[in-house]
Amino acid sequence: MFRVLFLMVILLVGFIAGPYISGKQGYVRILTDSHSIEMSITMLVVFFVIALAVIYGIEWLITRFIRLSSGTYNWFSVRKRRKAQQQILQGFVKMDEGNYAKAEKLIGKNAKHSSEPILNFVKAAEAAQQRGDEFSANKYLIEATELAGPDNLIVELARTRILLQQNKLPTARTAVDSLLVLAPQNVEVLRLAITIYLRSHAYTALDNLLPQIAKSGLYNSDDYKALHQQVLDGLLDEKMNEEGVEGLLQWWADQSRTRRQDSYAIIGMIRRLIDSDDHDSAYNLVLDSMKRMDTNDLLPFLNQVARLQVSNSEKVIKWLEKTGKGNLSAVITVALVRAIGYLSLRANQFEKARQAFTQVLAAEDKSCIDIQDYTIAAYLAEKANDVAAAQQIRQQCLKDTMKIEDKAAVSASDLLSLEKK
């Protein structure tokens, strides 16, 4: 518009100034090697205007052509992108249906032309891995990495999942370690780390990660407790298997005060020390922890105390007798008296042991009694030359066992009838 207005102004000036200078105009002479061109000033202005008009016209034609080409290209590009989006959506549907081969074909073929190529390459890689094609899965991940760069979280998460599915645990471990540096608070990263560390038995690394897992809200209290106990068991077994009893005791001494007061960890230590026939260390640990033992963990603690084989267990027996005066459940009471019986037996206090096992067999809830209790009670009766009592104990064992089996059979039949209803 400005150019047209400019040409019109020049023409207007020419029309106004032309008559004025018509009688006074000179001329313009242009000389070259072989030609000489002469024209009036008016003709020069006209020629100048015509030249500008031609130049502007050529420019307009070129611009129109470029716009036409660009519009055509954009039309085809939009059409291709729309088609790619439709086929990718079909690929997602096929993926949900379990047709991973078709899903990979639809998503991988159109990923470059979609609005989210990185995400779609990741999905194509997952589809390829689901049908067992590791080569294609890695190829799609490489393409996604080239587009996103090396520190893209979604690509690295997908890579780690695929490595886990391929059972390449060392590589997956390296990948998840990098993810923990990149996004240490990400819930999905923590979930992957837990799975990989558990499968690779990397309990020390998982133990260091427990504070972050607790803060993330990934688990409720019961599930987190189960995970924590699984990690403790893994650590204890790892130290025992790799370094033996001495290494386990040294590791225990190096632990924090909070861990050394954890009831589950204490019971695990005692059990492994007894399994390794280090009853003296187990007994010392029992002495250190028996007064701090949580009531909820008292039953498994008593079960381990009953396994101790030491000649002098007076302190533990006194604590057991004092604890037995409290308000305890029937199961814990039986376990406590049983522990007194075993410790007394191993200290050659046969009469005290016999009284304890007699009390165990007198429990109202027969499900709390073990077959071994009858055997030990009968043995102690024979030790005291009371053959009749020993025979009576064996008969009672047979009757109680049959009652328990009958109750179990009745419960099973009731369950079957309920299922049929």
Side-chain angles (χ1 to χ4, degrees), residues 95 99-105 107-108 120-141 162 165-166:
M95 197 168 180
N99 190 351
Y100 297 110
K102 187 67 174 177
E104 179 199 345
K105 182 178 179 181
I107 299 173
N120 292 322
F121 274 127
V122 168
K123 290 297 182 182
E126 292 176 355
Q129 179 58 40
Q130 287 293 336
R131 66 182 186 86
D133 189 351
E134 295 184 6
F135 177 79
S136 296
N138 293 332
K139 183 189 72 173
Y140 289 128
L141 284 176
I162 289 174
Q165 292 172 1
Q166 294 172 352

Side-chain angles (χ1 to χ4, degrees), residues 225-369:
K225 181 180 179 180
L227 176 65
H228 184 257
Q229 292 178 352
Q230 186 177 0
V231 172
L232 282 175
D233 286 331
L235 286 171
L236 292 170
D237 289 335
E238 182 180 279
K239 293 299 177 181
M240 175 62 75
N241 295 333
E242 293 180 359
E243 303 177 27
V245 174
E246 292 184 1
L248 180 63
L249 290 172
Q250 183 60 49
W251 174 85
W252 181 255
D254 295 336
Q255 296 304 296
S256 64
R257 182 179 179 183
T258 302
R259 171 155 292 172
R260 285 187 282 109
Q261 292 180 350
D262 185 282
S263 298
Y264 188 85
I266 293 170
I267 295 168
M269 277 289 296
I270 294 171
R271 177 166 61 83
R272 286 164 178 82
L273 290 172
I274 293 175
D275 290 342
S276 302
D277 290 330
D278 190 355
H279 292 270
D280 292 335
S281 298
Y283 181 72
N284 291 331
L285 188 54
V286 168
L287 288 177
D288 291 339
S289 58
M290 60 186 183
K291 295 181 180 180
R292 299 192 305 268
M293 187 56 54
D294 190 348
T295 306
N296 295 328
D297 296 314
L298 192 56
L299 179 60
F301 178 74
L302 293 172
N303 291 337
Q304 297 305 319
V305 170
R307 299 176 61 203
L308 286 171
Q309 297 181 17
V310 289
S311 58
N312 184 10
S313 54
E314 290 292 333
K315 293 182 180 180
V316 176
I317 292 176
K318 288 181 180 179
W319 174 78
L320 291 171
E321 291 173 344
K322 182 179 179 181
T323 305
K325 297 178 182 179
N327 187 16
L328 303 173
S329 65
V331 177
I332 294 179
T333 300
V334 170
L336 189 146
V337 177
R338 181 187 294 117
I340 294 175
Y342 274 113
L343 292 176
S344 300
L345 176 61
R346 291 172 187 134
N348 295 324
Q349 299 176 5
F350 298 111
E351 184 58 31
K352 189 172 184 178
R354 184 182 179 186
Q355 293 175 3
F357 278 101
T358 300
Q359 186 178 346
V360 169
L361 298 184
E364 295 182 3
D365 187 359
K366 301 303 179 183
S367 63
C368 300
I369 306 173

